[in-house]
Amino acid sequence: CVIVTKSTVPVGTTNEIKKIISKKNKEDKFDVVSNPEFLREGSAINDFMRPDRVVIGCENKKSEGIMKELYRPLYLIETPIVSTTIESSEIIKYASNSFLATKISFINQVADLCEAVGADVQDVARGMGIDKRIGGKFLHAGPGYGGSCFPKDVKAFITTGEKNGINLSILSAVDYYN
């Protein structure tokens, strides 16, 4: 049996689920897998059918094989599949959302500067976005990031860092600015 977490969860959650189930299931005939979803608001169906990547966090080749077989139709259309540890899988989701939230906060601070000096933030963002290392997505100045994921994920990622003795000061500034 393979038990899969799809939700955005703090690192360690999937292993905690395994411990809880192991207490009830002494035979230990199951695996747990972290398989976070990357669905955007307003695009969930398309993102589900044509994801930009699939992340599989697992402990062994058997559960990895089961998950890869499940995602075989996506592999055939060349969707990148990232196989990694459970912990890395859990962090990939938080790190991705936190990075996007950082881009939004960054361009909003640039917009403040543009307003102060008479520059056009849309021209600045367009000029920045041409650089393939930066890209144009999430460089639209506005009231800040919102939605259901970015605010909670940034805060949760900061808390995870604190619990592990790591100061994610960049994200603290992003959270404060937003």
Side-chain angles (χ1 to χ4, degrees):
C1 177
V2 177
I3 300 163
V4 181
T5 59
K6 294 290 293 173
S7 298
T8 305
V9 296
V11 67
T13 300
T14 305
N15 283 328
E16 192 61 33
I17 290 168
K18 183 176 183 175
K19 287 179 193 174
I20 292 167
I21 295 171
S22 290
K23 288 179 184 176
K24 299 283 184 189
N25 181 354
K26 301 298 183 195
E27 296 175 31
D28 215 24
K29 292 184 179 179
F30 69 94
D31 289 324
V32 294
V33 172
S34 171
N35 179 221
E37 48 78 15
F38 296 90
L39 306 178
R40 297 168 295 160
E41 288 186 25
S43 302
I45 293 172
N46 188 56
D47 292 343
F48 176 79
M49 298 299 289
R50 293 170 195 81
D52 58 357
R53 83 259 202 208
V54 171
V55 175
I56 300 169
C58 53
E59 296 177 310
N60 59 57
K61 293 292 182 190
K62 181 180 177 188
S63 56
E64 178 184 359
I66 291 169
M67 294 301 292
K68 282 186 172 181
E69 184 60 28
L70 180 68
Y71 283 111
R72 188 170 182 271
L74 294 178
Y75 178 77
L76 293 175
I77 59 170
E78 298 184 357
T79 302
I81 297 178
V82 177
S83 292
T84 188
T85 65
I86 289 171
E87 296 82 4
S88 295
S89 175
E90 291 169 333
I91 287 179
I92 286 169
K93 176 62 184 215
Y94 275 127
S96 296
N97 280 356
S98 294
F99 183 77
L100 295 174
T102 301
K103 280 184 79 170
I104 293 167
S105 296
F106 177 81
I107 199 63
N108 283 338
Q109 287 188 342
V110 171
D112 291 345
L113 178 60
C114 287
E115 192 172 307
V117 301
D120 183 332
V121 70
Q122 291 179 338
D123 289 343
V124 172
R126 189 171 37 259
M128 289 173 61
I130 292 169
D131 186 328
K132 289 179 175 46
R133 297 167 300 167
I134 297 171
K137 292 185 178 181
F138 291 85
L139 286 180
H140 304 286
Y145 58 75
S148 61
C149 289
F150 287 177
K152 73 172 179 57
D153 288 358
V154 168
K155 288 179 187 333
F157 206 34
I158 293 167
T159 300
T160 298
E162 290 169 352
K163 287 181 180 177
N164 289 280
I166 304 298
N167 180 3
L168 298 176
S169 59
I170 292 171
L171 292 182
S172 295
V174 166
D175 183 53
Y176 175 79
Y177 182 76
N178 192 64

